[in-house]
């Protein structure tokens, strides 16, 4: 046999090995899809037993480390499954998962980020549809019909204020009030909260809303901070007396520790769900599904104790009677980019 014959023969062998691996992966993926879609009373116990044998799962999340630690401890105590966490911002997680897919890497079992980015992952065919009776316990408006992900907690943009710097009776009663000169130099926003801005503009009407926020920024200015934790800390210190795009749970947590902060809600209150999704091809399929069901059920009371807003109907908060208007997670990428550009341009007016 000459070298050419040898290489051709080796190529056939290698091709057969690769083909076999691809077919095996396809069979495993189909089996997992069947498991995820087949909701049955006995599934949970079977998942718990199989997940304990798998021993671990890999979870990508934007949930703060200190809060995730409580959920990790509880889940591991219940099921004996270790959680390996890769924590980053929502945008970085989205970028990493898309890059991993292009490299045909499936390192993650589950992911928990904001709903628009989860929807992007679903459209990229990275997430597995799941049927579970537990989904019926969640707020209908927050649950996507395709079941490619589920709401895990709600994020509502509220207005935070430093109680030493601003008296409660002097707080604005509407967004129109923010254009008043008495709020000059008091306001701050988070740099990436385009969802909040575009939600307000839609609620007020495109022309009216755009003009109002332009007037607020050009007349009174607002400081722009990168990161909601930073914005909350700036309100706590008094450097930003009124934070217009604060997360309610962060302010509640700071207040519980004795910080001079509180929040109020100007209507409309824009909200967005952070959700949990399961990989379409998870390394630990049973642990992935078990963790998904845990996060939308047993984890919910723990989240509420940490001042998160729950999507569970029996635990849902009314935010002092305010009606939540949810960000549309099905918005097109073009619409999201247009919204981001409009908010960035507004912030540059400072």
């Amino acid at each position: 046999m000459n070298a050419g014959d040898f290489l051709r023969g080796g190529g056939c062998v290698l091709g057969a090995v690769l083909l076999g691996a691809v077919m095996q992966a396809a069979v495993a993926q189909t089996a997992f899809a069947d498991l995820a879609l087949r909701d049955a009373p006995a599934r949970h116990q079977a998942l718990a037993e199989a997940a304990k044998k798998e021993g671990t799962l890999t979870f990508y999340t934007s949930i703060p480390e200190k809060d995730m630690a409580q959920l990790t401890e509880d889940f591991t105590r219940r099921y004996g499954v270790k959680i390996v966490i890769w924590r980053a911002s929502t945008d970085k997680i989205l970028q990493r998962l898309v890059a991993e897919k292009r490299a045909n890497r499936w390192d993650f079992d589950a992911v928990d980020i904001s709903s628009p980015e989860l929807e992007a992952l679903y459209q990229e065919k990275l997430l597995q549809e799941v049927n579970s009776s537990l989904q019926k316990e969640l707020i209908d408006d927050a649950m996507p019909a395709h079941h490619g992900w589920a709401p895990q907690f709600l994020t509502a943009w509220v207005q935070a204020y430093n109680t030493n710097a601003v008296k409660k009776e002097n707080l604005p009663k509407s967004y129109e009030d923010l254009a008043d000169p008495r709020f000059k130099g008091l306001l701050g926003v988070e740099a990436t909260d385009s969802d909040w801005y575009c939600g307000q503009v839609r609620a007020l009407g495109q022309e009216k809303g755009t003009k109002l926020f332009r007037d607020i920024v050009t007349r009174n200015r607002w400081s722009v901070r990168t990161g909601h934790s930073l914005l909350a800390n700036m309100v706590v210190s008094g450097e930003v007396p009124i934070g217009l795009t604060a997360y309610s749970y962060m302010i509640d947590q700071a207040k519980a520790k004795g910080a001079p902060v509180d929040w109020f809600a100007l209507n409309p209150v824009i909200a967005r769900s952070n959700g949990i999704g399961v990989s379409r091809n998870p390394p630990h399929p049973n642990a992935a599904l078990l963790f998904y069901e845990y996060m939308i059920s047993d984890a919910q009371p723990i989240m509420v104790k940490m001042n998160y807003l729950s999507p569970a109907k029996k635990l849902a908060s009314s935010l002092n009677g305010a009606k939540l208007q949810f960000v549309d997670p099905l918005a097109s990428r073009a619409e999201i980019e247009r919204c981001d550009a409009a908010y960035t341009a507004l912030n540059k007016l400072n």
Side-chain angles (χ1 to χ4, degrees):
M1 176 184 295
N2 60 34
D5 291 336
F6 177 81
L7 289 174
R8 282 192 293 271
C12 291
V13 172
L14 179 60
V17 171
L18 291 175
L19 179 60
V22 169
M23 292 178 64
Q24 186 176 10
V27 170
Q29 189 169 340
T30 300
F32 176 64
D34 290 342
L35 177 65
L37 294 172
R38 190 179 66 252
D39 185 32
R43 186 175 70 173
H44 179 82
Q45 184 59 37
L47 288 176
E49 293 174 359
K52 189 170 185 178
K53 293 178 181 178
E54 291 172 347
T56 188
L57 68 91
T58 300
F59 182 48
Y60 292 6
T61 183
S62 59
I63 296 176
E65 183 177 0
K66 62 182 179 59
D67 298 338
M68 195 60 228
Q70 295 189 46
L71 300 173
T72 298
E73 188 279 331
D74 184 65
F75 181 77
T76 301
R77 178 182 57 80
R78 288 172 184 265
Y79 299 110
V81 178
K82 180 182 177 182
I83 304 175
V84 178
I85 297 173
W86 189 77
R87 186 187 176 279
S89 68
T90 286
D91 288 342
K92 288 183 179 180
I93 290 173
L94 175 62
Q95 293 167 6
R96 174 166 176 162
L97 286 175
V98 171
E100 287 182 359
K101 182 192 176 188
R102 289 172 180 166
N104 197 28
R105 287 177 50 193
W106 295 87
D107 295 341
F108 82 106
D109 290 295
V111 58
D112 191 313
I113 54 176
S114 61
S115 55
E117 287 74 19
L118 273 178
E119 184 61 29
L121 292 178
Y122 176 72
Q123 296 301 328
E124 285 282 336
K125 301 188 183 305
L126 276 155
L127 302 181
Q128 172 61 50
E129 299 90 346
V130 177
N131 285 333
S132 172
S133 59
L134 297 170
Q135 294 163 344
K136 297 177 183 178
E137 304 302 319
L138 304 176
I139 296 173
D140 295 335
D141 289 347
M143 183 72 204
H146 55 58
H147 290 196
W149 52 269
Q152 200 269 321
F153 68 89
L154 305 179
T155 296
W157 284 283
V158 298
Q159 291 64 58
Y161 69 103
N162 183 290
T163 55
N164 291 334
V166 182
K167 294 182 179 180
K168 188 174 183 179
E169 57 266 28
N170 294 332
L171 293 172
K173 301 298 189 296
S174 68
Y175 279 101
E176 285 80 3
D177 287 350
L178 293 174
D180 190 289
R182 74 180 189 272
F183 294 110
K184 187 171 185 177
L186 301 183
L187 309 176
V189 297
E190 202 280 329
T192 63
D193 280 335
S194 57
D195 286 345
W196 164 81
Y197 167 67
C198 290
Q200 296 296 341
V201 168
R202 280 192 296 270
L204 294 168
Q206 186 70 35
E207 184 176 348
K208 178 182 177 181
T210 300
K211 182 180 184 303
L212 173 61
F213 281 96
R214 181 177 288 270
D215 288 345
I216 293 170
V217 174
T218 55
R219 292 177 188 176
N220 293 335
R221 307 296 178 184
W222 63 29
S223 61
V224 181
R225 308 289 174 161
T226 301
H228 292 92
S229 294
L230 177 60
L231 178 62
N233 289 336
M234 292 298 97
V235 177
V236 168
S237 70
E239 186 173 339
V240 177
I242 301 176
L244 297 179
T245 62
Y247 286 165
S248 59
Y249 76 90
M250 288 187 176
I251 303 306
D252 284 334
Q253 289 175 349
K255 182 180 177 181
K257 294 179 180 179
V261 292
D262 206 343
W263 61 264
F264 60 104
L266 297 175
N267 282 314
V269 176
I270 307 301
R272 178 186 65 202
S273 58
N274 270 54
I276 176 82
V278 176
S279 170
R280 191 173 288 273
N281 190 19
H284 310 96
N286 296 283
L289 277 177
L290 183 67
F291 187 63
Y292 170 97
E293 294 203 328
Y294 165 80
M295 289 290 269
I296 64 175
S297 59
D298 291 327
Q300 291 302 305
I302 299 174
M303 300 292 289
V304 171
K305 287 182 180 179
M306 292 189 289
N307 300 116
Y308 286 83
L309 301 178
S310 175
K313 294 174 183 177
K314 64 181 180 181
L315 297 173
S317 169
S318 64
L319 275 181
N320 297 334
K323 180 172 176 56
L324 302 182
Q325 295 192 18
F326 285 94
V327 171
D328 180 11
L330 303 182
S332 67
R333 178 52 52 183
E335 173 62 18
I336 292 172
E337 291 175 354
R338 185 203 65 77
C339 181
D340 289 344
Y343 185 58
T344 298
L346 179 69
N347 288 332
K348 288 182 179 179
L349 294 177
N350 278 294

